[in-house]
Amino acid sequence: MAELQPFPPGGRRVDRPTEAALCSNCGELVGRGYPDCAICAERIDDLWWADWRHLLSSTGVQAGTDEELDLARRVLSDEVGAYPWTCTDWALWLLRCAECGGQLGSGDPGCVACAASDAARWAWDHQALQHRRMTPNEHALRVAVAGLRAPHRHRSAALAGWRLALPFLFIGQLPTTSQAQRIRAHILAGRYDELARLDGFCAMASLPDLPWRSTS
Ligand SMILES: [Zn+2]
Ligand SMILES: [Zn+2]
């Protein structure tokens, strides 16, 4: 079944930087201020926007019109894998949820309609990863961006982890499972500021334990 769907790639129309650089606006590594810093948001969202812009031009639809909202509804109602994952996300960002009034798929945490839209979003990744139509880095990038755009739906430790990771996911890196676990343990130990000064997943995972702190 899944082979019949195209699963077009997403986020590959824009060349990504090869090194994490400081953002001229927020002063942190590009991506770490996402989505509140305008420059961080612009740089990251450009991967999504390039695909959506291409879809708009190929369908003759103008941005900011009712036709664009109709297109977003069509994208979401089509089969999983019919459009790039970036376009699925952009469609969700454009539409409001009819049930809870929030952004579709990331509104009220208890909203059934949002839960259904969110589940459809991740069905794309589940199938595409199996068929190698999406890289693990692209999946991690999508997860981090979706999470940071819906902070009310996640624990602060998860948000901190995505914020720390995004600059390095953006340049194509991916933590190993054990690195991710180590970094998470450091976050839970309240060491975000120390982690934020380090250059990459390897360095963050290698932050030495501070056992003498455990009684403080
Ligand atoms: Zn920034
Ligand atoms: Zn909702």
Side-chain angles (χ1 to χ4, degrees), residues 135-167:
T135 67
N137 169 268
E138 287 166 350
H139 170 64
L141 186 69
R142 189 184 195 194
V143 169
V145 162
L148 290 171
R149 276 175 164 259
H152 54 289
R153 295 169 68 91
H154 303 284
R155 292 171 186 273
S156 60
L159 295 167
W162 289 323
R163 213 171 288 125
L164 287 168
L166 193 48

Coordinates of all heavy atoms in Angstrom, one line a residue, residues 135-167:
T135 N 15.1 11.2 6.0 CA 16.3 10.8 6.8 C 15.9 10.9 8.3 O 15.0 11.7 8.7 CB 17.5 11.7 6.5 OG1 17.2 13.0 7.0 CG2 17.8 11.7 5.0
P136 N 16.6 10.2 9.2 CA 16.4 10.4 10.6 C 16.7 11.8 11.1 O 16.0 12.3 12.0 CB 17.4 9.4 11.2 CG 17.6 8.3 10.2 CD 17.5 9.1 8.9
N137 N 17.6 12.5 10.4 CA 17.8 13.9 10.8 C 16.6 14.7 10.4 O 16.2 15.6 11.2 CB 19.0 14.4 10.0 CG 19.1 16.0 10.1 OD1 18.6 16.7 9.3 ND2 19.8 16.4 11.2
E138 N 16.0 14.5 9.3 CA 14.8 15.3 8.9 C 13.6 15.0 9.9 O 12.9 15.9 10.3 CB 14.3 14.9 7.5 CG 15.3 15.5 6.4 CD 15.1 14.9 5.0 OE1 14.4 13.9 4.9 OE2 15.7 15.4 4.1
H139 N 13.5 13.7 10.3 CA 12.5 13.4 11.3 C 12.7 14.1 12.6 O 11.8 14.7 13.2 CB 12.4 11.9 11.5 CG 11.6 11.5 12.7 ND1 10.2 11.7 12.7 CD2 11.9 10.9 13.8 CE1 9.7 11.2 13.8 NE2 10.7 10.7 14.5
A140 N 14.0 14.1 13.1 CA 14.3 14.8 14.3 C 14.1 16.3 14.3 O 13.6 16.9 15.2 CB 15.8 14.5 14.7
L141 N 14.4 16.8 13.1 CA 14.2 18.3 12.9 C 12.7 18.6 12.9 O 12.3 19.6 13.6 CB 14.8 18.6 11.5 CG 14.8 20.1 11.1 CD1 15.8 20.9 11.9 CD2 15.2 20.2 9.6
R142 N 11.9 17.8 12.3 CA 10.5 18.0 12.3 C 9.9 17.9 13.7 O 9.0 18.7 14.1 CB 9.8 16.9 11.4 CG 8.4 17.2 11.1 CD 7.7 16.1 10.3 NE 6.4 16.6 9.8 CZ 5.5 15.9 9.3 NH1 5.7 14.5 9.1 NH2 4.3 16.4 8.8
V143 N 10.3 16.9 14.4 CA 9.8 16.7 15.8 C 10.2 17.9 16.7 O 9.3 18.4 17.4 CB 10.4 15.4 16.4 CG1 10.1 15.4 17.9 CG2 9.9 14.2 15.7
A144 N 11.4 18.4 16.6 CA 11.9 19.5 17.4 C 11.1 20.8 17.1 O 10.6 21.5 17.9 CB 13.4 19.8 17.2
V145 N 10.9 21.0 15.8 CA 10.2 22.2 15.3 C 8.7 22.2 15.8 O 8.2 23.2 16.3 CB 10.3 22.4 13.8 CG1 9.3 23.4 13.3 CG2 11.8 23.0 13.5
A146 N 8.1 21.0 15.6 CA 6.7 20.9 16.0 C 6.5 21.1 17.5 O 5.6 21.7 17.9 CB 6.2 19.5 15.5
G147 N 7.5 20.5 18.2 CA 7.4 20.7 19.7 C 7.6 22.1 20.1 O 6.8 22.6 21.0
L148 N 8.6 22.8 19.6 CA 8.9 24.2 20.0 C 7.7 25.1 19.6 O 7.5 26.2 20.2 CB 10.2 24.6 19.4 CG 11.4 24.0 20.0 CD1 12.7 24.3 19.2 CD2 11.6 24.4 21.5
R149 N 7.0 24.7 18.5 CA 5.9 25.6 18.1 C 4.6 25.3 19.0 O 3.6 26.0 18.8 CB 5.5 25.3 16.6 CG 6.3 26.0 15.7 CD 6.0 25.6 14.2 NE 6.5 26.6 13.3 CZ 5.7 27.5 12.7 NH1 4.5 27.6 12.9 NH2 6.3 28.3 11.8
A150 N 4.6 24.3 19.8 CA 3.5 24.0 20.6 C 4.0 23.8 22.1 O 3.8 22.7 22.7 CB 2.8 22.7 20.1
P151 N 4.6 24.8 22.7 CA 5.2 24.6 24.0 C 4.2 24.2 25.1 O 4.6 23.6 26.1 CB 5.8 26.0 24.3 CG 5.1 27.0 23.4 CD 4.8 26.2 22.2
H152 N 2.9 24.6 24.9 CA 1.9 24.3 25.9 C 1.6 22.8 26.0 O 0.9 22.4 26.9 CB 0.6 25.1 25.7 CG 0.1 24.9 24.3 ND1 0.8 25.4 23.2 CD2 -0.9 24.2 23.8 CE1 0.1 25.1 22.1 NE2 -0.9 24.3 22.4
R153 N 2.1 22.1 25.0 CA 1.8 20.6 24.9 C 2.9 19.8 25.5 O 2.8 18.5 25.4 CB 1.4 20.2 23.5 CG 0.2 20.9 23.0 CD 0.1 20.7 21.5 NE -0.2 19.3 21.1 CZ -1.4 18.7 20.9 NH1 -2.5 19.5 21.1 NH2 -1.5 17.5 20.6
H154 N 4.0 20.4 25.9 CA 5.2 19.6 26.3 C 5.8 20.1 27.6 O 5.6 21.2 28.0 CB 6.2 19.7 25.2 CG 5.7 19.3 23.8 ND1 5.5 17.9 23.5 CD2 5.2 20.0 22.8 CE1 5.0 17.9 22.3 NE2 4.8 19.1 21.8
R155 N 6.5 19.1 28.2 CA 7.3 19.4 29.5 C 8.4 20.3 29.2 O 9.0 20.3 28.1 CB 7.8 18.1 30.1 CG 6.7 17.3 30.6 CD 7.2 15.9 31.0 NE 6.2 15.0 31.4 CZ 5.7 14.9 32.7 NH1 6.2 15.7 33.6 NH2 4.7 14.1 32.9
S156 N 8.8 21.1 30.2 CA 9.9 22.1 30.0 C 11.2 21.4 29.6 O 12.0 21.9 28.9 CB 10.1 22.9 31.2 OG 10.4 22.2 32.3
A157 N 11.5 20.2 30.2 CA 12.7 19.4 29.8 C 12.8 19.1 28.4 O 13.8 19.1 27.7 CB 12.9 18.2 30.7
A158 N 11.6 18.7 27.8 CA 11.6 18.3 26.4 C 11.8 19.6 25.5 O 12.6 19.5 24.6 CB 10.2 17.7 26.0
L159 N 11.2 20.7 25.9 CA 11.4 21.9 25.2 C 12.9 22.3 25.2 O 13.5 22.7 24.2 CB 10.5 23.0 25.8 CG 9.0 22.8 25.6 CD1 8.3 23.8 26.5 CD2 8.6 22.9 24.2
A160 N 13.5 22.2 26.4 CA 14.9 22.6 26.5 C 15.8 21.7 25.6 O 16.7 22.1 25.0 CB 15.4 22.4 28.0
G161 N 15.5 20.4 25.6 CA 16.2 19.5 24.7 C 16.1 19.8 23.3 O 17.1 19.8 22.5
W162 N 14.9 20.2 22.8 CA 14.7 20.6 21.4 C 15.5 21.9 21.1 O 16.0 22.1 20.0 CB 13.2 20.7 21.1 CG 12.5 19.4 21.0 CD1 13.0 18.2 20.6 CD2 11.2 19.1 21.5 NE1 12.1 17.2 20.7 CE2 11.0 17.8 21.3 CE3 10.2 19.9 22.1 CZ2 9.8 17.1 21.6 CZ3 9.0 19.3 22.4 CH2 8.8 17.9 22.2
R163 N 15.4 22.8 22.1 CA 16.1 24.1 21.9 C 17.6 23.9 21.7 O 18.2 24.5 20.9 CB 15.8 25.0 23.1 CG 15.7 26.5 22.7 CD 15.1 27.3 23.9 NE 13.7 27.1 24.1 CZ 13.2 26.7 25.3 NH1 14.0 26.5 26.3 NH2 11.9 26.6 25.4
L164 N 18.1 23.1 22.6 CA 19.6 22.8 22.5 C 19.9 22.1 21.2 O 21.0 22.3 20.7 CB 20.0 21.9 23.7 CG 20.0 22.6 25.1 CD1 20.2 21.6 26.2 CD2 21.2 23.6 25.2
A165 N 19.1 21.2 20.8 CA 19.4 20.3 19.6 C 19.2 21.1 18.3 O 20.0 20.8 17.3 CB 18.5 19.1 19.6
L166 N 18.3 22.0 18.2 CA 17.9 22.5 16.9 C 19.1 23.1 16.1 O 19.1 22.8 14.9 CB 16.8 23.5 17.1 CG 16.0 24.0 15.8 CD1 15.6 22.7 14.9 CD2 14.8 24.8 16.1
P167 N 20.0 23.9 16.7 CA 21.1 24.4 15.8 C 21.9 23.3 15.2 O 22.4 23.5 14.1 CB 21.9 25.2 16.8 CG 21.0 25.6 17.9 CD 20.0 24.4 18.0

